Amino acid sequence: RGRPAREAERPLCMDAGFGGGGLVTGSERNMTNRIEAFVSSMQIGPDDRVLEIGCGHGVAASLVCERLRGGRYLAVDRSAKMIAAAEKRNAAYVRAGVARFMLADLETLELGELRFDKVFAQRVRLFHDDPVRARTLVQRWLAPQGRAFFEYDLPSLRRED
């Protein structure tokens, strides 16, 4: 028998304002529970300005936007297919002006003077492969007291019944 899978690690925030993403292998929680736990750990306030890098299908977007009252959410993804899926899932938040989705690559993303209270990424490989570069890219979008969170996990290589 194989060893049981580790629980997904909660993103940690360091004083520098960056969450320490954990490399987690074989989480037993399903994807939605993992995303819910991650979003909850960020303690998003109702007026926060939130940037998600790599929004995928928009599951985290829904969880973030339901916490916002005066705040705003912006998501970027390099896949037009994922942007379309996320916009469809979150159409009510887009219509209400709470959420916006942008087709863009992190390495060439230009957001002008926009600043965010929370910036996060889940399963964005750059944050695992080159965290220093990823943090440098994200730093420019953080508000003075802003915090960044990231998490990268790998699916279990082997499941036993």
Side-chain angles (χ1 to χ4, degrees):
R1 290 207 170 256
R3 295 184 321 190
R6 289 178 28 203
E7 277 293 308
E9 295 175 51
R10 180 174 170 238
L12 305 171
C13 282
M14 302 183 312
D15 291 337
F18 283 94
L23 175 64
V24 180
T25 58
S27 174
E28 286 296 313
R29 293 186 285 176
N30 70 36
M31 185 180 298
T32 300
N33 288 343
R34 178 184 57 78
I35 295 170
E36 286 174 353
F38 184 85
V39 169
S40 179
S41 75
M42 290 188 289
Q43 299 178 349
I44 293 169
D47 295 317
D48 279 350
R49 299 160 297 169
V50 181
L51 171 63
E52 181 178 10
I53 299 163
C55 64
H57 290 95
V59 175
S62 300
L63 296 168
V64 168
C65 289
E66 72 187 18
R67 289 166 165 78
L68 299 175
R69 296 298 169 259
R72 296 290 177 261
Y73 168 89
L74 172 63
V76 297
D77 201 296
R78 65 183 179 182
S79 166
K81 182 178 177 180
M82 292 297 100
I83 290 293
E87 283 180 328
K88 182 177 179 181
R89 176 186 294 262
N90 294 283
Y93 293 120
V94 171
R95 281 191 305 273
V98 173
R100 191 164 59 113
F101 296 87
M102 178 185 292
L103 181 63
D105 184 272
L106 174 61
E107 307 236 18
T108 59
L109 181 62
E110 284 299 328
L111 295 175
E113 297 300 314
L114 290 178
R115 296 297 174 267
F116 299 90
D117 304 298
K118 305 278 174 33
V119 177
F120 74 98
Q122 289 185 285
R123 291 189 171 175
V124 175
R125 187 137 190 129
L126 180 65
F127 287 84
H128 173 65
D129 290 349
D130 193 350
V132 172
R133 175 145 174 71
R135 288 175 178 177
T136 300
L137 290 168
V138 167
Q139 182 69 41
R140 61 188 164 161
W141 301 311
L142 283 174
Q145 300 300 314
R147 298 171 79 187
F149 302 80
F150 68 95
E151 177 181 65
Y152 190 85
D153 67 336
L154 299 173
S156 177
L157 298 177
R158 182 174 140 185
R159 282 183 79 85
E160 294 193 29
D161 298 350

